[in-house]
CSV table of all heavy atoms in Angstrom, one decimal:
chain,number,residue,atom,x,y,z
A,293,LEU,N,7.9,30.6,-26.9
A,293,LEU,CA,7.7,30.4,-28.3
A,293,LEU,C,7.1,31.7,-28.9
A,293,LEU,O,7.5,32.2,-29.9
A,293,LEU,CB,6.7,29.2,-28.6
A,293,LEU,CG,7.4,27.8,-28.4
A,293,LEU,CD1,6.3,26.8,-28.6
A,293,LEU,CD2,8.5,27.6,-29.4
A,294,TYR,N,6.0,32.2,-28.2
A,294,TYR,CA,5.4,33.5,-28.6
A,294,TYR,C,6.4,34.6,-28.6
A,294,TYR,O,6.5,35.4,-29.5
A,294,TYR,CB,4.2,33.8,-27.7
A,294,TYR,CG,3.0,33.1,-28.0
A,294,TYR,CD1,2.3,32.3,-27.1
A,294,TYR,CD2,2.4,33.1,-29.3
A,294,TYR,CE1,1.2,31.6,-27.4
A,294,TYR,CE2,1.3,32.4,-29.6
A,294,TYR,CZ,0.6,31.6,-28.6
A,294,TYR,OH,-0.5,30.9,-29.0
A,295,LEU,N,7.3,34.7,-27.6
A,295,LEU,CA,8.3,35.7,-27.5
A,295,LEU,C,9.3,35.6,-28.6
A,295,LEU,O,9.6,36.7,-29.2
A,295,LEU,CB,9.0,35.6,-26.2
A,295,LEU,CG,10.2,36.6,-25.9
A,295,LEU,CD1,9.6,38.0,-26.0
A,295,LEU,CD2,10.9,36.3,-24.6
A,296,SER,N,9.7,34.4,-29.0
A,296,SER,CA,10.6,34.3,-30.1
A,296,SER,C,10.0,34.7,-31.4
A,296,SER,O,10.7,35.4,-32.2
A,296,SER,CB,11.1,32.8,-30.2
A,296,SER,OG,11.8,32.4,-29.1
A,297,LEU,N,8.8,34.4,-31.6
A,297,LEU,CA,8.1,34.8,-32.9
A,297,LEU,C,7.9,36.3,-32.9
A,297,LEU,O,8.1,36.9,-34.0
A,297,LEU,CB,6.7,34.1,-33.0
A,297,LEU,CG,6.8,32.6,-33.2
A,297,LEU,CD1,5.4,32.0,-33.1
A,297,LEU,CD2,7.4,32.3,-34.6
A,298,ILE,N,7.5,36.9,-31.8
A,298,ILE,CA,7.3,38.3,-31.8
A,298,ILE,C,8.6,39.1,-32.0
A,298,ILE,O,8.7,40.0,-32.8
A,298,ILE,CB,6.7,38.8,-30.4
A,298,ILE,CG1,5.3,38.3,-30.3
A,298,ILE,CG2,6.8,40.3,-30.2
A,298,ILE,CD1,4.7,38.5,-28.9
A,299,LEU,N,9.7,38.6,-31.4
A,299,LEU,CA,11.0,39.2,-31.6
A,299,LEU,C,11.5,39.1,-33.1
A,299,LEU,O,12.0,40.1,-33.6
A,299,LEU,CB,12.1,38.6,-30.7
A,299,LEU,CG,11.9,38.9,-29.2
A,299,LEU,CD1,12.9,38.1,-28.4
A,299,LEU,CD2,12.1,40.4,-28.9
A,300,THR,N,11.2,38.0,-33.7
A,300,THR,CA,11.6,37.8,-35.1
A,300,THR,C,10.8,38.7,-36.0
A,300,THR,O,11.4,39.3,-36.9
A,300,THR,CB,11.3,36.3,-35.5
A,300,THR,OG1,12.1,35.4,-34.6
A,300,THR,CG2,11.7,36.1,-36.9
A,301,LEU,N,9.5,38.9,-35.7
A,301,LEU,CA,8.7,39.8,-36.5
A,301,LEU,C,9.1,41.2,-36.3
A,301,LEU,O,9.2,42.0,-37.3
A,301,LEU,CB,7.2,39.6,-36.2
A,301,LEU,CG,6.6,38.3,-36.6
A,301,LEU,CD1,5.1,38.2,-36.0
A,301,LEU,CD2,6.5,38.2,-38.1
A,302,VAL,N,9.5,41.6,-35.1
A,302,VAL,CA,9.9,43.0,-34.8
A,302,VAL,C,11.2,43.3,-35.6
A,302,VAL,O,11.4,44.3,-36.2
A,302,VAL,CB,10.1,43.2,-33.3
A,302,VAL,CG1,10.9,44.5,-33.1
A,302,VAL,CG2,8.8,43.2,-32.6
A,303,LEU,N,12.1,42.3,-35.6
A,303,LEU,CA,13.4,42.5,-36.3
A,303,LEU,C,13.2,42.6,-37.8
A,303,LEU,O,13.8,43.4,-38.5
A,303,LEU,CB,14.4,41.3,-36.0
A,303,LEU,CG,15.7,41.4,-36.6
A,303,LEU,CD1,16.4,42.7,-36.2
A,303,LEU,CD2,16.6,40.2,-36.2
A,304,LEU,N,12.3,41.8,-38.3
A,304,LEU,CA,12.0,41.8,-39.7
A,304,LEU,C,11.4,43.2,-40.1
A,304,LEU,O,11.8,43.8,-41.1
A,304,LEU,CB,11.0,40.7,-40.1
A,304,LEU,CG,10.5,40.7,-41.6
A,304,LEU,CD1,11.7,40.5,-42.5
A,304,LEU,CD2,9.5,39.6,-41.7
A,305,LEU,N,10.5,43.7,-39.3
A,305,LEU,CA,9.9,45.0,-39.6
A,305,LEU,C,11.0,46.1,-39.5
A,305,LEU,O,11.0,47.0,-40.3
A,305,LEU,CB,8.8,45.3,-38.6
A,305,LEU,CG,7.5,44.5,-38.8
A,305,LEU,CD1,6.5,44.8,-37.7
A,305,LEU,CD2,6.9,44.7,-40.2
A,306,LEU,N,11.9,46.0,-38.5
A,306,LEU,CA,13.0,47.0,-38.4
A,306,LEU,C,13.9,46.9,-39.7
A,306,LEU,O,14.3,47.9,-40.2
A,306,LEU,CB,13.8,46.7,-37.2
A,306,LEU,CG,13.2,47.2,-35.8
A,306,LEU,CD1,14.1,46.7,-34.7
A,306,LEU,CD2,13.2,48.7,-35.8
A,307,LEU,N,14.2,45.7,-40.1
A,307,LEU,CA,15.0,45.5,-41.2
A,307,LEU,C,14.4,46.1,-42.5
A,307,LEU,O,15.1,46.9,-43.2
A,307,LEU,CB,15.3,44.0,-41.5
A,307,LEU,CG,16.1,43.6,-42.7
A,307,LEU,CD1,17.5,44.1,-42.6
A,307,LEU,CD2,16.1,42.1,-42.9
A,415,LEU,N,20.1,38.0,-32.2
A,415,LEU,CA,19.1,39.1,-32.4
A,415,LEU,C,19.7,40.4,-32.1
A,415,LEU,O,19.6,41.4,-32.8
A,415,LEU,CB,17.9,38.8,-31.6
A,415,LEU,CG,16.7,39.7,-31.8
A,415,LEU,CD1,16.1,39.4,-33.2
A,415,LEU,CD2,15.6,39.4,-30.8
A,457,VAL,N,14.6,26.5,-31.1
A,457,VAL,CA,13.4,27.2,-31.7
A,457,VAL,C,13.8,28.6,-32.1
A,457,VAL,O,13.5,29.1,-33.2
A,457,VAL,CB,12.2,27.2,-30.8
A,457,VAL,CG1,11.1,28.1,-31.3
A,457,VAL,CG2,11.7,25.8,-30.5
A,458,TYR,N,14.5,29.3,-31.2
A,458,TYR,CA,15.0,30.7,-31.5
A,458,TYR,C,16.0,30.7,-32.7
A,458,TYR,O,15.8,31.6,-33.5
A,458,TYR,CB,15.7,31.2,-30.2
A,458,TYR,CG,16.6,32.3,-30.4
A,458,TYR,CD1,16.1,33.6,-30.8
A,458,TYR,CD2,18.0,32.3,-30.0
A,458,TYR,CE1,17.0,34.7,-30.9
A,458,TYR,CE2,18.8,33.4,-30.2
A,458,TYR,CZ,18.3,34.6,-30.6
A,458,TYR,OH,19.1,35.6,-30.7
A,459,TYR,N,16.9,29.7,-32.7
A,459,TYR,CA,17.8,29.6,-33.9
A,459,TYR,C,17.0,29.4,-35.2
A,459,TYR,O,17.3,30.0,-36.2
A,459,TYR,CB,18.8,28.5,-33.7
A,459,TYR,CG,19.9,28.8,-32.8
A,459,TYR,CD1,20.6,27.8,-32.1
A,459,TYR,CD2,20.4,30.1,-32.7
A,459,TYR,CE1,21.7,28.1,-31.3
A,459,TYR,CE2,21.5,30.4,-31.9
A,459,TYR,CZ,22.1,29.4,-31.2
A,459,TYR,OH,23.2,29.7,-30.4
A,460,CYS,N,16.0,28.6,-35.2
A,460,CYS,CA,15.2,28.3,-36.4
A,460,CYS,C,14.5,29.6,-36.8
A,460,CYS,O,14.4,29.9,-38.0
A,460,CYS,CB,14.2,27.2,-36.1
A,460,CYS,SG,14.9,25.6,-35.9
A,461,CYS,N,13.9,30.3,-35.9
A,461,CYS,CA,13.3,31.6,-36.2
A,461,CYS,C,14.3,32.6,-36.9
A,461,CYS,O,14.0,33.2,-37.9
A,461,CYS,CB,12.6,32.2,-35.0
A,461,CYS,SG,11.2,31.3,-34.4
A,462,PHE,N,15.4,32.6,-36.2
A,462,PHE,CA,16.4,33.5,-36.8
A,462,PHE,C,17.0,33.1,-38.1
A,462,PHE,O,17.2,33.9,-39.0
A,462,PHE,CB,17.6,33.7,-35.8
A,462,PHE,CG,18.5,34.8,-36.1
A,462,PHE,CD1,18.2,36.1,-35.6
A,462,PHE,CD2,19.6,34.7,-36.9
A,462,PHE,CE1,19.1,37.2,-35.9
A,462,PHE,CE2,20.4,35.7,-37.2
A,462,PHE,CZ,20.2,37.0,-36.7
A,463,ALA,N,17.1,31.8,-38.3
A,463,ALA,CA,17.6,31.3,-39.6
A,463,ALA,C,16.6,31.6,-40.7
A,463,ALA,O,17.0,32.0,-41.8
A,463,ALA,CB,17.7,29.7,-39.5
A,464,LEU,N,15.3,31.6,-40.4
A,464,LEU,CA,14.3,32.0,-41.4
A,464,LEU,C,14.5,33.5,-41.7
A,464,LEU,O,14.4,33.8,-42.9
A,464,LEU,CB,12.9,31.8,-40.8
A,464,LEU,CG,11.7,32.2,-41.7
A,464,LEU,CD1,11.7,31.5,-43.0
A,464,LEU,CD2,10.4,32.1,-40.9
A,465,LEU,N,14.7,34.3,-40.7
A,465,LEU,CA,14.9,35.7,-41.0
A,465,LEU,C,16.2,36.0,-41.7
A,465,LEU,O,16.2,36.8,-42.7
A,465,LEU,CB,14.9,36.5,-39.6
A,465,LEU,CG,15.0,38.0,-39.7
A,465,LEU,CD1,13.8,38.6,-40.4
A,465,LEU,CD2,15.0,38.6,-38.3
A,466,TYR,N,17.2,35.3,-41.4
A,466,TYR,CA,18.5,35.4,-42.0
A,466,TYR,C,18.4,35.0,-43.5
A,466,TYR,O,19.0,35.6,-44.4
A,466,TYR,CB,19.5,34.5,-41.3
A,466,TYR,CG,20.9,34.6,-41.8
A,466,TYR,CD1,21.7,35.8,-41.7
A,466,TYR,CD2,21.6,33.4,-42.3
A,466,TYR,CE1,23.0,35.8,-42.1
A,466,TYR,CE2,22.9,33.5,-42.7
A,466,TYR,CZ,23.6,34.7,-42.6
A,466,TYR,OH,24.9,34.7,-43.1
A,468,LEU,N,15.7,35.2,-45.3
A,468,LEU,CA,14.9,36.2,-46.1
A,468,LEU,C,15.8,37.4,-46.4
A,468,LEU,O,15.7,37.9,-47.5
A,468,LEU,CB,13.7,36.7,-45.2
A,468,LEU,CG,12.6,35.6,-45.0
A,468,LEU,CD1,11.6,36.2,-44.0
A,468,LEU,CD2,11.9,35.4,-46.3
Side-chain angles (χ1 to χ4, degrees):
L293 287 174
Y294 281 124
L295 178 60
S296 297
L297 290 173
I298 291 172
L299 289 174
T300 301
L301 290 174
V302 168
L303 183 58
L304 178 59
L305 292 174
L306 281 173
L307 177 64
L415 189 66
V457 174
Y458 163 61
Y459 280 153
C460 290
C461 293
F462 193 87
L464 175 62
L465 184 61
Y466 184 62
L468 291 173

